[in-house]
């Protein structure tokens, strides 16, 4: 198989587990966070910087790469790994979320989705077969079934139609998938309705995917509601296969997701937040572009081993950001990804050592508030 999964240790107090995701391009310790390389690049960083920070597996976006530069061009370049200079494994999403969230004038049919490009207004059609074909041309190690992601809030009927269409499309993706060196994961939908989530899981289990994602969360619903959906959905997924929560990347949500048995996460939050001059710390979010840090000569976070914290101060990084210097955003991005990768490593060690519940409680007791700083 192109992808396998081994559970090494399960936490006795929660559903957290430490494992290894096996791919043809190397093993990935789990739980794992995937930084998002939307346009075949993790914004502001080179591939070797992502690797040196601790990145093992990255996500790229089918919708964006299909529109620009095109899957055919990337295939001609030798595939996505060679095109972007990343030697580790890559997961590509199906483009479903972006089709429904970015593209104007979307028209959904049972055969697929008509949409207009957010770049130039040109019209395109994505079917399950087209989504698989584009991802096969890109050459990612893990590809995702084409799904319909309903918005939040939505009615029960809207969620039901999206869930049933997602199931039908999953069957078609399975039939269209040809490349044996790629693993195709299914996506559970159903909004925030328990019976729809349970039906989605039952339907997808019949297809025996090598991994399962939970989609349609972190789309505006309260966090407590997301956790409730995970509480009743995750236990239905096969324990011997990886479980992937799509679009989640804040430290508190990562911990809560792991506690509920999630193995894989992705999100643009760490890099997007960095480009807005905000960074993660153990105590909360520090908005370093704020005036309060103009004469603050401490690192972004005491004790952090990232390049930014070892060499520069808050005052200097704020100066770079206010002066629109590229280095400022590179430094905040380096810090945020290192923070998340280090956190995931600490979570894994805590699971292996049988102390995850205590680690989670200690972290969350000090996390969750923006650090002092006055906006300009």
């Amino acid at each position: 198989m192109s992808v396998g999964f081994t559970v090494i240790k399960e936490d006795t107090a929660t559903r957290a587990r430490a494992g290894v995701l096996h791919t043809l391009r190397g093993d990935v310790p789990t739980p794992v966070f995937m930084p998002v390389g939307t346009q075949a690049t993790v914004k502001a960083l080179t591939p070797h910087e992502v690797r040196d920070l601790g990145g093992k597996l990255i996500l790229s976006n089918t919708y964006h790469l299909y529109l620009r530069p095109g899957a055919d061009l990337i295939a001609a370049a030798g595939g996505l790994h060679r095109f972007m200079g990343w030697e580790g494994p890559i997961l590509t999403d199906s483009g479903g979320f972006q089709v429904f969230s970015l593209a104007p004038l979307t028209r959904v049919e049972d055969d697929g989705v008509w949409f207009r490009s957010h770049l130039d207004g040109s019209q395109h059609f994505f079917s399950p077969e087209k989504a698989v074909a584009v991802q096969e041309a890109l050459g990612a190690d893990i590809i995702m079934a084409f799904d319909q992601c309903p918005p939040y809030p939505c009615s029960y009927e809207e969620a039901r139609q999206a869930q049933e269409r997602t199931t039908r499309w999953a069957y078609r993706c399975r039939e269209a998938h040809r490349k044996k060196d790629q693993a195709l994961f299914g996506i559970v939908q159903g909004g925030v309705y328990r019976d729809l989530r349970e039906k989605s899981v039952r339907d997808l289990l019949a297809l025996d995917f090598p991994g399962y994602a939970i989609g349609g969360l972190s789309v505006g619903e309260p966090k407590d509601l997301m956790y409730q959906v995970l509480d009743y959905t995750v236990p239905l997924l096969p324990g011997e296969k990886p479980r992937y929560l799509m679009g989640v990347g804040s430290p508190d949500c990562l911990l809560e997701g792991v506690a509920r048995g999630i193995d894989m996460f992705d999100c643009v939050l760490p890099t997007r937040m960095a480009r807005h001059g905000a960074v993660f710390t153990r105590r909360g979010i520090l908005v370093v572009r704020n005036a309060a840090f103009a004469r603050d000569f401490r690192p972004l976070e005491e004790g952090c081993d990232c390049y930014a914290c070892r060499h520069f101060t808050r005052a200097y990084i704020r100066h770079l950001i206010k002066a629109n210097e590229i280095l400022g955003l590179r430094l905040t991005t380096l810090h945020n990804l290192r923070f998340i990768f280090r956190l995931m490593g600490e979570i894994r060690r805590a699971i292996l050592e049988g102390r995850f519940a205590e680690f989670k409680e200690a972290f969350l007791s000090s996390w969750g508030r923006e650090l002092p700083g006055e906006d300009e």
Side-chain angles (χ1 to χ4, degrees), residues 18 342 344-356:
R342 190 172 61 246
M344 299 308 289
E346 292 172 354
I347 288 172
R348 190 172 195 274
R349 284 193 295 275
I351 296 171
L352 293 173
E353 295 170 4
R355 53 180 181 83
F356 171 75

Side-chain angles (χ1 to χ4, degrees), residues 89-103:
I90 297 174
L91 181 149
T92 48
D93 63 10
S94 68
F97 177 79
Q98 287 72 29
V99 165
F100 291 103
S101 63
L102 290 181

Side-chain angles (χ1 to χ4, degrees), residues 58-345:
I58 66 172
L59 178 146
S60 281
N61 185 267
T62 296
Y63 168 88
H64 287 283
L65 296 178
Y66 161 78
L67 291 176
R68 181 178 58 192
D72 290 345
L73 185 149
I74 292 174
L80 189 54
H81 298 83
R82 184 172 297 175
F83 185 63
M84 66 184 292
W86 173 260
E87 297 178 353
I90 297 174
L91 181 149
T92 48
D93 63 10
S94 68
F97 177 79
Q98 287 72 29
V99 165
F100 291 103
S101 63
L102 290 181
L105 303 177
T106 299
R107 186 172 82 249
V108 184
E109 302 174 352
D110 283 341
D111 282 343
V113 184
W114 289 97
F115 64 96
R116 291 194 178 275
S117 165
H118 72 288
L119 298 175
D120 60 11
S122 58
Q123 190 174 62
H124 302 268
F125 180 74
F126 253 36
S127 65
E129 293 79 9
K130 179 68 170 288
V132 168
V134 171
Q135 291 183 89
E136 288 186 339
L138 294 175
D141 304 272
I142 300 172
I143 66 176
M144 304 302 299
F146 193 55
D147 64 321
Q148 182 177 357
C149 180
Y152 177 85
C154 72
S155 68
Y156 181 89
E157 182 59 23
E158 289 173 313
R160 184 190 65 79
Q161 291 180 8
Q163 181 268 311
E164 292 182 352
R165 185 173 283 120
T166 293
T167 295
R168 292 194 297 271
W169 288 354
Y171 275 82
R172 289 168 56 186
C173 287
R174 188 72 162 166
E175 288 297 311
H177 183 222
R178 294 289 180 267
K179 294 189 68 174
K180 300 306 180 185
D181 60 346
Q182 293 179 313
L184 172 67
F185 282 19
I187 303 178
V188 176
Q189 289 290 356
V192 295
Y193 301 101
R194 180 167 185 167
D195 63 323
L196 296 181
R197 288 284 177 178
E198 292 173 345
K199 185 177 188 305
S200 182
V201 172
R202 289 195 303 270
D203 292 344
L204 294 176
L205 289 181
L207 289 170
D208 194 27
F209 288 109
Y212 291 88
I214 299 175
L217 294 178
S218 193
V219 292
E221 79 282 357
K223 290 182 179 180
D224 286 346
L225 185 53
M226 177 176 73
Y227 301 151
Q228 290 175 26
V229 174
L230 294 177
D231 282 336
Y232 57 69
T233 303
V234 175
L236 302 177
L237 297 173
E240 73 278 8
K241 296 182 179 181
R243 305 158 176 165
Y244 166 25
L245 178 57
M246 307 180 80
V248 167
S250 65
D252 53 334
C253 290
L254 293 174
L255 281 159
E256 296 290 359
V258 168
R260 289 161 172 81
I262 297 296
D263 307 297
M264 302 167 62
F265 303 84
D266 83 277
C267 194
V268 299
L269 181 65
T271 49
R272 178 177 290 171
M273 200 172 78
R275 296 194 304 278
H276 287 84
V279 295
F280 292 128
T281 75
R282 289 285 186 167
R283 293 174 53 207
I285 295 172
L286 185 148
V287 186
V288 71
R289 60 175 165 76
N290 286 352
F293 305 110
R295 297 181 61 83
D296 191 332
F297 303 117
R298 294 173 292 172
L300 294 174
E301 182 170 33
E302 297 287 352
C304 176
D305 63 358
C306 81
Y307 179 81
C309 288
R310 286 187 286 112
H311 294 280
F312 304 109
T313 66
R314 297 174 179 181
Y316 177 66
I317 294 172
R318 177 187 181 272
H319 156 68
L320 294 175
I321 292 170
K322 300 301 289 185
N324 293 319
E325 288 289 344
I326 295 172
L327 179 59
L329 305 185
R330 279 180 38 76
L331 293 175
T332 52
T333 302
L334 284 166
H335 172 82
N336 275 356
L337 281 186
R338 179 59 189 148
F339 181 95
I340 293 295
F341 291 150
R342 190 172 61 246
L343 174 61
M344 299 308 289

